[in-house]
Amino acid sequence: MRLVLLGAPGAGKGTQAAFLKERHGLAHISTGDIFRHNLKNNTPLGLEAKKYMDAGELVPDEIVMKMVGEKLNGFAPDEGFMLDGFPRTVGQAEFLETISKLDGVILFHVPDEEIVRRLSSRAVCRDCGHVTSRLENDKCPSCGGELYTRDDDNEATIRSRLKVFHEQTEALEDFYRERNLLFEIDAAKHPEEVFEQVLAVLSHDKD
Ligand code: AMP
């Protein structure tokens, strides 16, 4: 199964990807995680991406497409994966069509004010990468590790990222609707309830 998880930053794509990885063993490919990993290791790609990430802007298409192209090249034709945070522009979606066939695109709907609320309290575990809320935990609920706040989870950058989502990524809804690949989910709920909807979509997709 090859899926795209589509939605604003903070819509819960990464959390649902972790559930799906556990349940279906699908590989999770997050372009944001790849950039952050590169940045941590001070690679030229990471340093280039940082300029855009800090401003809440998109890394240019050529850079992202090259990176994703190389990553997907390593997958056998029958190997499944979930793309989280890619594509984010119509150009990226057109590129993806040339290198892989998709089984579905799951769109996670969350109102903007809920996104701002979630991202303003979002915290990530330094040890295992688990994502949680500071309103609920002061240590990682999964491994007890220390939590940190992503550099781009501050109110000004959150607002820029949301603007970019509406201006550049939302067009993908129609792009995938026209191709009969779009499944829409109300993601302003608890992660477990959202996952029920994801599983319902996937079982329908198999019929
Ligand atoms: P994310 O972790 O998905 O919220 O991504 C964090 C940041 O990485 C974004 O705000 C962008 O600056 C950059 N980024 C991640 N994926 C993409 C993409 N597909 N196209 C352009 N920029 C991206």
Side-chain angles (χ1 to χ4, degrees), residues 125-194:
C125 176
R126 252 186 227 294
D127 296 333
C128 73
H130 184 89
V131 176
T132 185
S133 165
R134 286 199 188 275
L135 303 177
E136 286 161 25
N137 297 295
D138 51 14
K139 283 216 157 87
C140 174
S142 180
C143 75
E146 186 197 345
L147 299 177
Y148 76 98
T149 299
R150 271 172 49 170
D151 286 346
D152 55 355
D153 281 345
N154 62 76
E155 177 143 6
T157 314
I158 292 168
R159 296 266 175 210
S160 314
R161 287 154 70 204
L162 261 177
K163 189 162 175 278
V164 165
F165 173 74
H166 291 305
E167 289 176 359
Q168 301 189 54
T169 308
E170 225 162 38
L172 296 182
E173 296 182 20
D174 281 342
F175 182 94
Y176 286 122
R177 195 174 285 121
E178 282 162 14
R179 286 157 178 75
N180 269 324
L181 285 170
L182 195 74
F183 298 91
E184 301 184 57
I185 279 185
D186 173 6
K189 302 188 168 176
H190 264 278
E192 290 75 14
E193 289 176 72
V194 176

Side-chain angles (χ1 to χ4, degrees), residues 8-10 13 30-33 35-36 49-61 64-65 67-68 84-89 92 122 150 152-153 157 161 164:
K13 304 183 296 293
S30 154
T31 41
D33 283 350
F35 286 134
R36 280 183 290 277
K50 181 176 163 48
K51 294 190 260 176
Y52 302 95
M53 294 167 82
D54 283 350
E57 290 167 7
L58 294 184
V59 176
D61 277 359
V64 191
M65 293 183 323
M67 181 177 92
V68 171
D84 160 6
F86 182 92
R88 265 175 152 101
T89 63
Q92 293 178 14
R122 179 162 76 173
R150 271 172 49 170
D152 55 355
D153 281 345
T157 314
R161 287 154 70 204
V164 165

Side-chain angles (χ1 to χ4, degrees), residues 2 27-29 70-81:
R2 296 188 161 189
H28 175 201
I29 303 168
E70 285 169 5
K71 183 92 191 162
L72 295 189
N73 236 335
F75 279 78
D78 59 346
E79 239 179 314
F81 56 72

